[in-house]
Amino acid sequence: MGFMSVPSSGGDFKVFVSYNAKAGRWYTKNDGKDEPMFEVTDMTAVFDMPGLETGWFKFSSGVAPEKVMDPSLAEAAPNPGADFKRGFQIDLYSEKNLMGLREFSSTAGIVIEAMNNLYDLWMAAPENASGKLPVVRCSGVLPISNKHGTNYQPTFEIVGWTDRPAGLAGGDTKSAAPASPPPAAAPAAHMPPPAQVSASVGAPVF
Amino acid sequence: MSRNAFERHGLDHLSASSINLFVAQPAMWAMQKLMGRKTGVGAAAHRGTAVEAGVELGLFDPARSVEECQQAALSRFNTLTALSADPAVEKERSGIAPAVAVALKELRQYGIPGTAEGSRQHRIEVELPGVPVPFIGWLDFWFPEHGIIIDLKTQGRLSSKISDPHARQGAIYHAAHGNNEIRFAYVTPQKIGVYRLEDPRLHLDRVVSIAKSIERFLSLSDDPAALTTALSPDLDSFYWNDAGARAAAQEIWGLTPEAAP
């Protein structure tokens, strides 16, 4: 079972591919109501990197995740409320391994780190300028131990490049530009305070 | 079971300040961490502590006036410097009240920081791959409703960007709270700049690299004195301004500061 529940198909929801960080394994299902989850044994797919989006996610058991997406990678949306966490979502495509188009999203820190690494690889690759999309493989997992126990961080590598598959809609390139300059480069920009969500007392944490 | 090099030297954790000191002044790092010789800090460091105390008061209690927060900051500074012979005390004191006002005006717009079981500062502890001891630190201000962690830094002149040592500190925070954005608020008596840490992973790689360098250094000998005296302090650096630090240097290395012309 993945770390998020898969909503029933139909409506505006895409079928998910999920990553279980506790097990270091990928899961998806066929498109259709009450389809069972199955493990993705070869996690190789076309990643729609230009369409990568970030935002606030709230995963609750048994219901579709609530999302408030950022206007761009460089500008975060206001936190919509308690229990929302920062995360990302991206479309993946592989007829052979994923049964078609799948949406991958996560708010797990170690998964975000892995996606950040992949994002940097994609940005730095000369093939990126060609407009082709990367074919990405999860080549392994890396155990990360902290106070939450041991979780497994996926390791992504770009194994090829391809034209945008017909089954991967969009082509939105709004996020293709780097979100920000690299560290220690130009002077940093002053970050304004976020829009106020509440003036109430801060939530107890930990 | 054989102990790792950190444990053999009685080091059960690392911190951002520790690895940054190792990079900047390895001899002082060894003197403090291996020889146990603590050194004092100057008035500028006390200024930072004092400003943070005033800002903390004003952020957690919006009913407090700016003047009350300034007074709290000055009281803290006076306590910290009561026995200080640092000639910069008066200069640093004069910048405290305006810095508190500047910081509060900006940071109160973020709302009230979260608390952790009654404590205003949040302890973090994170293990990094390849580093056998955890990193420990404390977050200044965490705004969970915005997913933002802010670390306050006081300065005489405003930085135009996040320094590398601060970026490493932020990267450690980010490793502990990956879903949060890390910002550094640099405040002077005149203005404030709040900058976002843009690529924590890059800096985290450096953190791990430094930690491994420390481990390799510690592996060279189990004798803390041998390791410490294998290094040589840069007494010209402000790190060694403290009289206690200089005295310890003389004890360990037999050095006195080179006379000015």
Side-chain angles (χ1 to χ4, degrees):
Chain A
M1 185 66 187
F3 65 89
M4 66 179 76
S5 46
V6 179
S8 57
S9 62
D12 294 330
F13 297 111
K14 297 168 188 164
V15 183
F16 283 80
V17 59
S18 59
Y19 177 72
N20 185 330
K22 278 288 178 198
R25 294 181 175 187
W26 297 84
Y27 297 87
T28 189
K29 53 174 267 186
N30 281 306
D31 192 2
K33 185 173 172 61
D34 299 328
E35 287 286 339
M37 302 283 288
F38 61 86
E39 183 176 355
V40 179
T41 53
D42 180 1
M43 183 53 213
T44 304
V46 180
F47 277 45
D48 186 9
M49 295 303 290
L52 178 70
E53 291 184 280
T54 54
W56 296 92
F57 295 73
K58 180 180 178 182
F59 291 110
S60 304
S61 180
V63 297
E66 296 178 54
K67 310 173 195 172
V68 176
M69 305 312 296
D70 297 336
S72 72
L73 293 187
E75 183 183 359
N79 188 338
D83 302 328
F84 279 81
K85 292 181 177 178
R86 296 289 297 160
F88 70 88
Q89 70 177 24
I90 185 172
D91 286 347
L92 317 183
Y93 182 83
S94 170
E95 277 298 333
K96 177 185 169 192
N97 299 322
L98 299 177
M99 312 302 155
L101 174 67
R102 293 293 183 272
E103 183 177 273
F104 174 43
S105 59
S106 180
T107 58
I110 60 172
V111 180
I112 292 171
E113 293 280 342
M115 278 303 295
N116 275 330
N117 288 333
L118 175 61
Y119 184 83
D120 288 348
L121 286 176
W122 171 69
M123 286 299 298
E127 294 89 341
N128 182 16
S130 69
K132 291 181 182 291
L133 297 181
V135 180
V136 177
R137 180 176 65 188
C138 177
S139 57
V141 295
L142 182 68
I144 305 285
S145 296
N146 55 28
K147 66 181 180 182
H148 303 299
T150 298
N151 288 283
Y152 294 90
Q153 183 175 53
T155 304
F156 295 118
E157 63 175 338
I158 297 175
V159 295
W161 295 84
T162 185
D163 292 328
R164 176 176 291 274
L168 196 56
D172 177 13
T173 57
K174 70 181 181 181
S175 59
S180 54
H190 174 77
M191 300 301 297
Q196 280 296 291
V197 174
S198 163
S200 62
V201 172
V205 291
F206 292 168
Chain B
M1 194 168 73
S2 68
R3 297 183 302 161
N4 66 54
F6 290 99
E7 289 173 339
R8 290 202 300 276
H9 286 281
L11 301 176
D12 59 4
H13 71 275
L14 287 171
S15 65
S17 61
S18 177
I19 62 164
N20 286 334
L21 181 62
F22 181 82
V23 171
Q25 293 288 329
M28 177 168 274
W29 183 90
M31 186 180 84
Q32 290 184 356
K33 307 298 181 185
L34 304 183
M35 304 292 286
R37 298 299 298 263
K38 305 302 177 195
T39 58
V41 296
H46 292 315
R47 172 199 65 197
T49 305
V51 170
E52 186 177 319
V55 173
E56 180 185 298
L57 180 66
L59 288 183
F60 281 96
D61 188 352
R64 297 277 191 164
S65 69
V66 172
E67 291 72 22
E68 283 180 285
C69 300
Q70 290 171 320
Q71 191 52 51
L74 286 167
S75 296
R76 175 68 67 86
F77 184 79
N78 292 341
T79 302
L80 292 170
T81 57
L83 300 176
S84 174
D86 190 334
V89 165
E90 287 311 314
K91 172 175 168 280
E92 298 296 356
R93 180 185 283 114
S94 67
I96 290 173
V100 169
V102 168
L104 282 178
K105 183 179 178 186
E106 178 74 13
L107 299 182
R108 272 183 162 167
Q109 298 177 74
Y110 284 73
I112 303 173
T115 57
E117 297 173 353
S119 171
R120 290 177 171 180
Q121 279 206 322
H122 305 268
R123 183 180 186 275
I124 61 135
E125 180 169 344
V126 61
E127 294 180 12
L128 300 179
V131 182
V133 291
F135 279 82
I136 290 174
W138 296 87
L139 308 180
D140 282 353
F141 305 116
W142 183 24
F143 299 92
E145 62 181 316
H146 302 303
I148 293 172
I149 291 165
I150 290 184
D151 199 87
L152 183 68
K153 304 290 185 191
T154 63
Q155 298 180 310
R157 276 179 51 190
L158 187 66
S159 289
S160 62
K161 62 181 182 180
I162 298 172
S163 70
D164 283 350
H166 292 166
R168 293 193 282 267
Q169 178 188 357
I172 294 167
Y173 293 171
H174 187 265
H177 291 278
N179 289 324
N180 288 267
E181 182 177 301
I182 309 298
R183 295 185 181 186
F184 285 88
Y186 292 98
V187 62
T188 76
Q190 292 81 33
K191 48 191 172 181
I192 186 169
V194 181
Y195 308 136
R196 176 172 61 191
L197 182 61
E198 294 292 357
D199 197 344
R201 291 158 298 108
L202 247 178
H203 299 289
L204 198 65
D205 289 346
R206 176 78 170 126
V207 168
V208 171
S209 170
I210 296 167
K212 288 181 175 177
S213 292
I214 295 174
E215 185 178 21
R216 282 192 290 272
F217 173 67
L218 295 176
S219 300
L220 296 175
S221 172
D222 285 347
D223 181 351
L227 287 174
T228 304
T229 54
L231 304 167
S232 191
D234 172 15
L235 296 182
D236 200 34
S237 163
F238 72 89
Y239 279 90
W240 296 89
N241 283 354
D242 177 65
R246 287 173 175 271
Q250 189 168 17
E251 230 177 87
I252 294 170
W253 287 280
L255 293 173
T256 52
E258 293 153 61

